[in-house]
Structure formats: C-alpha cells, structure tokens
C-alpha cells in the first residue's frame, strides 16, 4: 500500500505518536492505539453523496492533511501505509460482518500484520465494537480484555476466524474472515456498495465513532452515545447541536448541511 504523498513523520505527527517507531510488536500496538484514538471512523463523504475514493494519495491527503477520518478501507489503508514504511509485512483480508439478521457479503476489510514471528489482526475501522489493539491469531478461544471491552477469536473446522465482542453481558458476533490474501483493488466493489447501496448503513445514516482510552463516542444519525468505562449516556441532537458536536467533539467540519 503506497501513496506518493505519504511520509512516516507526517503520519506520526497526525496521530500524536512521539515514541521510537520500528518493526516490532510494541510499535505495532502503540501505532494502532494512537491512530484509533485520534483518527475518527466517519462516513461524511457518503452522506454527501460521494463514492469514497480508494486512491491511496486521496486517502493520505484526506486523513493526514485535511484532518479527516474515514471508514474501514481508508483508515486501515492508511495504517497499511505506515506498516509498509516501517517494513512490517502485512496482508489485507476480506471480512463478513456477522451482526446483521441476514447473511452479508465480505464488505469489511482488515489487516493482518506479521511481527516478531506472530500474526496480528489489526483493525481500525469497524466502528462501535471494533478491537482496540492488535489480536494475536494464535490466541483462539481466549477472552482478551482491551480496556473495558472483551473480545474473543474462535476458529471453525474450515479455518475461518470469527471475532466476537462482549456486548451487554453476552457474546455478539462481529465478523468472520480467513487468511486468503486480498489485493487493494479487490475492495473496489465492496467500497462502491458501501458508498451507494440504499441498504448500506453508511448510505442510510451518518456514522461517526471516536475511540478513546476509556471508551468511545458514537454518533448514529442524530443520536450521540458516549461510553465511558462501560457507562452509557445517550443524547438526541438538534441540527445545530449536531454540527457543533461534529466540529468540537469529533474535530470534523460537516461536508453537508446538517
């Protein structure tokens, strides 16, 4: 994943990372956390009627220089640029969202990074119940606590992984994936579907998620949900409040009139 306008110092400055960056497990963990806590998951372009661009240079420009976020292909694509700059091997995987009532295609994209002989699931773009740190693919059927969240990877007889999250005291399936390597261009049809199909949540509603060390803030339509150490607060926003929340809480300038 290469963009001619991507450079590692600008990326590190954008995510507020000040440590030493090298191709090791500690850096992988730190970079994912820093990007997750500074770059929002957001679909403002889709809500403005645009098809999200998968051109690497446009992703780098949007997130690094315009201060924007993006959805899975964009934020995970940017993370892949950083991995490549550091010399960390990685591959893209296509994942099937599993929380819908009907079976869906593999429209989600995640990254598998290889560091110090281990393979790690990295995902900065799954929204509400996405993982908050890399997950070791060898840690199967083990409860993994990440801040106040708990996740688990299981694996079936076909070798496919299933990511689960603990939600309201019960396990909730998030997405399934296998290790079939995907090329960047393989996600063009899924991106078009997510940007344009009337059944896609990103077309139906504004979705913005900002993770932080003690939880996350989720904007779904005009409903703001704030989760802090498992405490949940909800507030329905007026159009004026919605614009103010986007600007001041998520640091995003609306690209459409709210």
């Amino acid at each position: 994943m290469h963009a001619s306008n991507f450079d590692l110092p600008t990326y590190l400055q954008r995510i507020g990372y000040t440590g030493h960056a090298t191709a090791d497990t500690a850096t992988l963990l730190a970079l994912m956390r820093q990007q997750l806590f500074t770059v929002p998951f957001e679909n403002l372009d889709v809500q403005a009627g645009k098809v999200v661009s998968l051109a690497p240079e446009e992703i780098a420009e949007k997130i690094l220089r315009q201060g924007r976020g993006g959805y899975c292909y964009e934020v995970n694509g940017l993370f892949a640029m950083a991995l490549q700059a550091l010399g960390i091997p990685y591959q893209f995987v296509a994942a099937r969202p599993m929380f819908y009532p009907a079976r869906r295609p593999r429209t989600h994209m995640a990254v598998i990074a290889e560091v110090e002989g281990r393979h790690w699931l990295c995902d900065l773009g799954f929204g509400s119940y996405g993982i908050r740190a890399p997950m070791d693919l060898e840690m199967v059927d083990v409860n993994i606590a990440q801040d106040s969240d708990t996740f688990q990877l299981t694996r079936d007889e076909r070798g496919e992984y299933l990511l689960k999250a603990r939600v309201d005291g019960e396990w909730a399936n998030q997405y399934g994936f296998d290790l079939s390597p995907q090329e960047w261009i393989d996600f063009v049809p899924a991106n078009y579907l997510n940007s344009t199909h009337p059944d896609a949540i990103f077309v139906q509603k504004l979705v913005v998620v900002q993770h932080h060390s003690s939880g996350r803030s989720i904007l779904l339509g005009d409903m703001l949900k704030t989760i802090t150490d498992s405490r949940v607060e909800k507030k329905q926003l007026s159009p004026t409040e919605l614009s103010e929340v986007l600007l001041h809480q998520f640091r995003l300038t609306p690209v459409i009139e709210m």
Side-chain angles (χ1 to χ4, degrees):
M1 185 65 178
H2 172 75
S4 59
N5 58 343
F6 176 92
D7 66 87
L8 192 60
T10 300
Y11 170 79
L12 297 179
Q13 182 179 27
R14 169 70 175 90
I15 68 171
Y17 181 78
T18 57
H20 180 61
T22 188
D24 60 17
T25 304
T27 298
L28 182 72
L29 172 65
L31 290 187
M32 179 173 162
R33 297 273 287 179
Q34 280 297 122
Q35 183 179 325
L36 192 68
F37 294 164
T38 53
V39 177
F41 178 95
E42 51 107 332
N43 69 332
L44 291 179
D45 284 349
V46 177
Q47 287 291 293
K50 302 177 183 178
V51 176
V52 168
S53 174
L54 293 191
E57 282 76 15
E58 292 190 31
I59 293 173
E61 173 68 21
K62 178 179 177 179
I63 300 178
L64 296 184
R65 293 170 178 84
Q66 296 178 12
R68 291 281 303 282
Y71 63 7
C72 67
Y73 318 110
E74 299 169 285
V75 292
N76 283 331
L78 183 76
F79 191 66
M81 295 179 200
L83 297 181
Q84 184 162 317
L86 288 168
I88 295 177
Y90 67 90
Q91 70 174 72
F92 297 120
V93 293
R96 188 188 313 280
M98 302 290 281
F99 52 80
Y100 293 101
R103 191 164 176 82
R104 290 294 189 100
R106 297 188 182 201
T107 56
H108 180 58
M109 184 260 274
V111 177
I112 306 297
E114 182 180 356
V115 180
E116 298 179 331
R118 305 184 86 84
H119 292 83
W120 301 84
L121 171 65
C122 301
D123 190 358
L124 300 100
F126 197 63
S128 298
Y129 288 100
I131 60 175
R132 299 168 62 80
M135 291 186 69
D136 187 344
L137 292 188
E138 292 188 11
M139 300 292 286
V140 174
D141 299 322
V142 177
N143 291 0
I144 305 295
Q146 296 182 349
D147 302 324
S148 57
D149 290 335
T150 304
F151 300 94
Q152 186 183 103
L153 280 173
T154 63
R155 200 173 188 187
D156 64 20
E157 65 279 357
R158 299 172 299 172
E160 183 161 319
Y161 291 89
L162 174 63
L163 175 67
K164 301 179 180 181
R166 198 76 173 167
V167 180
D168 297 329
E170 307 212 350
W171 288 111
N173 295 340
Q174 299 302 299
Y175 57 79
F177 64 96
D178 60 31
L179 299 183
S180 301
Q182 306 294 310
E183 296 182 27
W184 183 247
I185 197 170
D186 294 333
F187 296 100
V188 170
N191 177 62
Y192 186 78
L193 184 149
N194 276 327
S195 289
T196 64
H197 198 286
D199 288 344
I201 183 65
F202 305 114
V203 174
Q204 294 175 351
K205 293 184 179 182
L206 175 67
V207 183
V208 185
V209 182
Q210 181 65 75
H211 291 261
H212 47 83
S213 59
S214 57
R216 63 189 70 80
S217 297
I218 304 167
L219 186 58
L220 186 61
D222 61 0
M223 179 62 69
L224 176 64
K225 181 164 71 171
T226 304
I227 303 172
T228 306
D229 296 327
S230 299
R231 298 191 308 273
V232 179
E233 296 180 2
K234 294 182 179 181
K235 181 181 181 182
Q236 191 161 8
L237 305 174
S238 69
T240 299
E241 289 174 323
L242 181 55
S243 295
E244 290 176 351
V245 164
L246 281 171
L247 183 60
H248 298 295
Q249 184 165 334
F250 293 103
R251 301 181 299 280
L252 293 170
T253 302
V255 294
I256 57 173
E257 186 175 342
M258 294 291 114

